[in-house]
Amino acid sequence: AHSENKQAFYNDKYYKEVQKYLDTIQKNTDLAYYYIFIPYENDMEYIWDSDTIHSAKDLNQREEYMEGGKEFVLKTFRKNPKPGILVGNEEGIGQISCSFYPIFDSDHNLVALAGADITMEEVQVRLLHFILAVSIPVLVVIILAILAWYRSLKKRLIIPLHTLNSMSKTMALNLKEDVDVELDINTHDEIEELADSFEYMNTEIREYIHQVETLTSEKERIGAELDIARNIQDGMPKQI
């Protein structure tokens, strides 16, 4: 009679729809197990089970709790349970992460628990994918920010300073030439003020050099005239 009742459940349309729903979710996600069960004091009784790692549990099949599972299940089997995760060892697949959620009937009575298990290996893979998915865009943003900062620094500081350095050498090599030094620097900051000071300094230095050369030429001319006058005076006969 028990077998007939179980077979009747298996053939029930609603039972099949729920089983199909669980199988579809389990196959299209990374879940190792997806099942619905009734918790008891020392074990649990399966109602639906979707399992691709081992064979699925039969209806009314009972199984003992894993280590720490009893306490965790009983804490969850209540209204408004606190969310949590149980990590345990599953034979053949290693560490596994389990979570449960209570199921209520139409009268809001607590009747069963839905369980979803995932291997810790899959959790680690998902965590790695999440880290990569987050870190790569962040790294790209950081690189773009650095490039933008360098471009701004190059435009506002490096290129103007390089121009000042080049023009200072040109100024030093052409102090005696009538060469105007023009610095096309428009940074609207202290660098532009420094460039204006360079231009002013170049003009002042060239003007000073020109004045010195003029004074030197005039001094040399006067000295030459004095030498001529001295020679003329030395060549004149002395009066007795």
Side-chain angles (χ1 to χ4, degrees), residues 127-143:
L127 181 60
L128 179 60
H129 288 170
F130 173 76
I131 292 174
L132 290 175
V134 172
S135 61
I136 290 177
V138 170
L139 183 61
V140 170
V141 170
I142 291 175
I143 292 175

Side-chain angles (χ1 to χ4, degrees), residues 76-92:
T76 309
F77 193 59
R78 62 184 62 183
K79 293 184 178 181
N80 301 317
K82 293 182 179 179
I85 294 176
L86 171 67
V87 177
N89 289 308
E90 179 73 13
E91 185 177 354

Side-chain angles (χ1 to χ4, degrees), residues 87-90 93-97 118-121 124:
V87 177
N89 289 308
E90 179 73 13
I93 61 174
Q95 280 195 323
I96 192 167
S97 175
I118 187 172
T119 63
M120 291 304 296
E121 181 180 359
Q124 293 171 356

Side-chain angles (χ1 to χ4, degrees), residues 120-176:
M120 291 304 296
E121 181 180 359
E122 187 62 37
V123 172
Q124 293 171 356
V125 170
R126 280 179 167 270
L127 181 60
L128 179 60
H129 288 170
F130 173 76
I131 292 174
L132 290 175
V134 172
S135 61
I136 290 177
V138 170
L139 183 61
V140 170
V141 170
I142 291 175
I143 292 175
L144 291 177
I146 292 175
L147 291 176
W149 172 79
Y150 175 75
R151 183 177 179 181
S152 176
L153 181 67
K154 183 178 180 181
K155 181 180 179 180
R156 297 179 62 86
L157 186 62
I158 297 177
I159 292 178
L161 288 178
H162 178 73
T163 302
L164 284 173
N165 182 54
S166 298
M167 295 309 295
S168 64
K169 292 179 181 179
T170 301
M171 183 180 70
L173 294 174
N174 297 278
L175 286 176
K176 295 184 179 182

Side-chain angles (χ1 to χ4, degrees), residues 21-114:
Y21 174 76
L22 296 178
D23 291 340
T24 300
I25 292 178
Q26 197 271 335
K27 290 177 181 179
N28 290 280
T29 62
D30 297 314
L31 291 176
Y33 310 115
Y34 195 27
Y35 49 94
I36 295 175
F37 65 97
I38 300 174
Y40 293 98
E41 182 66 24
N42 297 314
D43 59 8
M44 49 193 283
E45 180 180 353
Y46 285 93
I47 307 300
W48 285 278
D49 183 30
S50 180
D51 181 357
T52 57
I53 297 179
H54 303 112
S55 59
K57 300 295 187 297
D58 293 330
L59 175 64
N60 300 130
Q61 183 173 341
R62 300 180 80 134
E63 183 180 63
E64 293 183 355
Y65 296 111
M66 69 169 65
E67 183 178 355
K70 176 182 176 180
E71 294 78 9
F72 186 77
V73 166
L74 295 179
K75 286 181 180 179
T76 309
F77 193 59
R78 62 184 62 183
K79 293 184 178 181
N80 301 317
K82 293 182 179 179
I85 294 176
L86 171 67
V87 177
N89 289 308
E90 179 73 13
E91 185 177 354
I93 61 174
Q95 280 195 323
I96 192 167
S97 175
C98 313
S99 62
F100 307 107
Y101 194 81
I103 297 176
F104 303 89
D105 62 15
S106 57
D107 295 325
H108 304 289
N109 296 315
L110 187 61
V111 294
L113 285 176

